[in-house]
Amino acid sequence: MVTEKLPGTPQGTARAGAILRAGGVAAIPTETVYGLAANALDPEAVRKIFAAKGRPADNPLIVHIASLDQWPPLVREIPEAARKLAEAFWPGPLTIILEKSDRIPMETSGGLDTVGVRCPAHPLARAVIQAAGVPLAAPSANLSGRPSPTTFAHAWEDLEGRVDAVLDGGDCGVGVESTVVSLTGERARVLRPGGVTVDSIRGVLGPVELDPAVTAMLAPGQKAASPGMKYKHYAPKAELAVLDGSPEAFARFVNAQEQGTAALCFSETEPLLARPALCLGSRYDGAEQARRLFEALHRLDLLGVKRAYAQMPNRRGVGLAVYNRLLRAAAFRVEPLPGPRVVGLVGPSGAGKSTVAQGLAPMGFSLVDCDRLTRSPQVYNPDCLRALGRAFGEDLVSGGVLDRRGLAERAFRDQASRKLLGEITFPHIERAVRREIAGCRGTVLLDAPTLFESGLDSLCGRILTVTAPEKVRLERVMARDGLTKAQALERFQAQYPAEFYEARGDFVLENTGDISRLLEEAARELKGG
Ligand code: TXA
Ligand code: MG
């Protein structure tokens, strides 16, 4: 079969629409990944999708619509919860599973009496659905067992000669497939995490279950709620494992492996690596990791290595989708890295980090407190004092005694001075922190107000963020330090905003009211993995 290469223009989408209306199959871009589309209501057309992909017939297809009025004919009824989700997240990367109507052929639903429907946000996908005039069944546009295509080149590579056309929409913005949520049971249940986060669904619906198959291998004989979960997903040619531990421990481990080993890493870790590395973006940017993951897996195969190791992603937000796809690519191999388990403790002023640290300590954590360390002569040793004197004035260190108050005044007056203070003190703080950690047992809580600026986060396998509403934090800081509201606000202005810390936490603890239950939960999570 000759495959038409269609441009992402009105002519291209019109042509794709015409092909699909006539019962053909065409790969089209969506905001998640490329999809392989056919008329969802035409069993003959749908069979061509399964044939082109080599997909098992019992794996149901998602049906794509361009407007809400296309939805009611496809399902038995649309419950209130479904309407709310559609209103909140459509058009966008969310698939909603409901009981199907008789209009949906068994070929499309893989023999199930339910159907997943999604209204994509990508303008080209929407234009093609409109041009076709029918809802479009579309699984990801990869050959079965290959990574989902997030670029035109990958869709073309897999499907050229097997489908009628591939429409060029450039790179996909989300990069992982849609979140699949089933509303057919008692309670909403996420079967596959994706571009829409589980928390944001909870924000709309209240309690939502997470299907166990999202993070664990199905036991033999166990029935998959989502048939796709039981099939082997993309397995790279290299044997892949996810390693759980700090960036530094990851680099140490990977660098000690033989040649022929590669890493799937975050950008902060890349400079530490002496082996070929494919970068997924920042450790703290789940959306970017999602966008780059499948492309990185493609490139991994091109490297031709025998073994590869991936860093454990933050599993909050869209990170859960990254973790879920990595787990499948790694056949669920997750291994802890050797070395101390260090949890970085961060948060904005007044959130109550120390309260949390004190609360967690008796639950089996060792505490390393940078504020305490910087009051010890270990950090402000003669070397450090000399450098501080040169930078901020010899009068601050006369007689070998540091005038802390004077230093604070000069070092915190502007951005450049603050940076200079960091450059001088961080290496000394780091040495002291490493020494302390080496003497600790079990999981270590590292309370470091400048964890990210100092680079000490590379020692941390997890980040625990403590936060509280701004109003609460203001009151605490005013009371604690005897500041006016204006002074407290000024201090907040000079720091990272609360969202900065919240986005970086593997675990976020809102420190208001009685937090003993939250602390126990945090302790369990942080120690358990
Ligand atoms: O983002 C996406 O969802 C992309 C783009 C093209 O829209 N599509 C996609 O389709 O990822 P596919 O077929 O590769 O993955 C669909 C997943 C499969 O795991 C399938 O088993 C599950 O959703 N699924 C579909 N319909 C279902 C149903 N009625 N009940 C349970 N699971 C269903
Ligand atoms: Mg797929």
Side-chain angles (χ1 to χ4, degrees):
M1 172 187 304
V2 176
T3 302
E4 289 179 48
K5 200 182 259 195
L6 300 176
T9 59
Q11 290 75 17
T13 54
R15 175 72 191 135
I19 289 171
L20 293 166
R21 205 170 44 244
V25 275
I28 61 169
T30 83
E31 73 277 25
T32 56
V33 300
Y34 275 75
L36 180 55
N39 179 353
L41 308 180
D42 175 355
E44 214 38 63
V46 165
R47 265 187 227 122
K48 293 181 190 165
I49 294 179
F50 285 92
K53 273 183 67 98
R55 180 173 173 115
D58 68 347
N59 195 358
L61 305 179
I62 292 172
V63 177
H64 298 67
I65 57 177
S67 59
L68 280 182
D69 57 305
Q70 286 184 297
W71 196 13
L74 307 177
V75 292
R76 291 257 299 265
E77 63 170 332
I78 300 178
E80 178 65 13
R83 291 221 174 273
K84 282 191 187 159
L85 287 181
E87 193 176 312
F89 302 112
W90 280 358
L94 180 73
T95 297
I96 302 173
I97 296 179
L98 293 170
E99 278 171 37
K100 77 176 191 70
S101 74
D102 295 337
R103 303 272 307 269
I104 298 284
M106 281 298 175
E107 280 77 4
T108 300
S109 72
L112 298 177
D113 47 20
T114 57
V115 65
V117 175
R118 160 164 127 79
C119 179
H122 197 296
L124 292 180
R126 301 169 63 72
V128 173
I129 301 168
Q130 267 150 5
V134 288
L136 297 178
S140 49
N142 50 285
L143 292 176
S144 234
R146 298 257 303 154
S148 297
T150 52
T151 67
F152 172 77
H154 291 163
W156 184 258
E157 188 182 304
D158 272 18
L159 296 177
E160 196 216 335
R162 310 178 70 95
V163 301
D164 294 304
V166 181
L167 178 68
D168 188 351
D171 297 352
C172 299
V174 177
V176 290
E177 305 88 339
S178 62
T179 302
V180 177
V181 59
S182 170
L183 295 179
T184 58
E186 197 115 299
R187 204 172 251 187
R189 175 176 274 237
V190 170
L191 305 184
R192 178 177 75 181
V196 169
T197 67
V198 179
D199 273 344
S200 64
I201 295 176
R202 289 199 174 113
V204 173
L205 294 187
V208 168
E209 290 169 359
L210 192 60
D211 197 78
V214 168
T215 53
M217 202 179 332
L218 285 169
Q222 208 177 348
K223 194 168 173 291
S226 170
M229 291 287 188
K230 76 180 177 217
Y231 293 108
K232 192 167 142 182
H233 258 244
Y234 177 61
K237 290 179 193 139
E239 186 172 301
L240 179 69
V242 179
L243 301 182
D244 191 9
S246 70
E248 202 176 281
F250 179 82
R252 203 178 305 124
F253 182 90
V254 168
N255 291 345
Q257 305 303 305
E258 58 198 19
Q259 301 286 337
T261 303
L264 277 180
C265 70
F266 303 130
S267 49
E268 294 84 356
T269 314
E270 203 175 5
L272 309 177
L273 289 166
R275 292 277 173 271
L278 297 167
C279 183
L280 298 180
S282 170
R283 172 184 186 186
Y284 302 117
D285 190 344
E288 175 158 31
Q289 293 162 26
R291 198 154 45 236
R292 292 167 70 167
L293 178 66
F294 284 128
E295 158 111 71
L297 287 172
H298 260 277
R299 286 196 290 144
L300 182 61
D301 278 348
L302 299 179
L303 283 180
V305 291
K306 279 216 233 24
R307 220 178 286 279
Y309 296 102
Q311 281 189 270
M312 172 67 105
N314 184 334
R315 290 163 284 175
R316 275 178 63 239
V318 71
L320 184 64
V322 174
Y323 178 61
N324 170 272
R325 307 306 189 271
L326 267 179
L327 267 185
R328 277 148 205 289
F332 292 90
R333 276 185 296 265
V334 180
E335 291 157 23
L337 282 159
R341 295 171 68 93
V342 183
V343 177
L345 182 61
V346 298
S349 275
K353 276 192 308 141
S354 319
T355 316
V356 167
Q358 297 310 328
L360 284 175
M363 298 181 191
F365 290 89
S366 306
L367 266 186
V368 172
D369 177 351
C370 282
D371 270 345
R372 179 175 49 73
L373 278 180
T374 55
R375 269 176 264 121
S376 81
Q378 276 187 45
V379 170
Y380 290 116
N381 55 32
D383 268 356
C384 183
L385 291 185
R386 258 193 306 278
L388 287 172
R390 274 196 302 273
F392 295 103
E394 300 292 348
D395 57 312
L396 293 179
V397 294
S398 64
V401 180
L402 176 66
D403 171 5
R404 284 172 183 276
R405 190 173 260 268
L407 175 65
E409 266 168 27
R410 290 180 207 174
F412 290 120
R413 80 191 140 198
D414 56 44
Q415 214 46 58
S417 310
R418 201 186 288 255
K419 188 158 166 275
L420 185 58
L421 176 69
E423 279 164 12
I424 295 170
T425 55
F426 288 158
H428 298 278
I429 296 176
E430 185 182 329
R431 221 168 296 141
V433 164
R434 283 183 191 278
R435 208 169 325 151
E436 286 242 337
I437 290 176
C440 289
R441 300 181 152 271
T443 306
V444 181
L445 265 185
L446 174 58
D447 181 349
T450 52
L451 187 82
F452 303 109
E453 299 90 323
S454 63
L456 283 172
D457 56 340
S458 75
L459 304 184
C460 303
R462 295 276 192 284
I463 308 287
L464 169 60
T465 297
V466 182
T467 187
E470 185 177 73
K471 191 166 163 291
V472 175
R473 293 192 287 111
L474 263 179
E475 279 161 14
R476 284 184 188 155
V477 169
M478 286 160 62
R480 185 187 64 195
D481 300 342
L483 302 179
T484 65
K485 191 171 175 188
Q487 286 169 322
L489 275 173
E490 195 183 340
R491 188 183 292 181
F492 284 8
Q493 287 301 314
Q495 301 173 346
Y496 288 122
E499 301 78 53
F500 173 91
Y501 296 105
E502 282 160 25
R504 281 161 171 71
D506 295 275
F507 198 84
V508 177
L509 223 161
E510 173 131 338
N511 179 16
T512 41
D514 177 17
I515 58 155
S516 48
R517 201 179 48 81
L518 282 180
L519 284 178
E520 266 166 44
E521 201 182 311
R524 237 192 341 270
E525 292 244 348
L526 294 169
K527 282 190 287 182

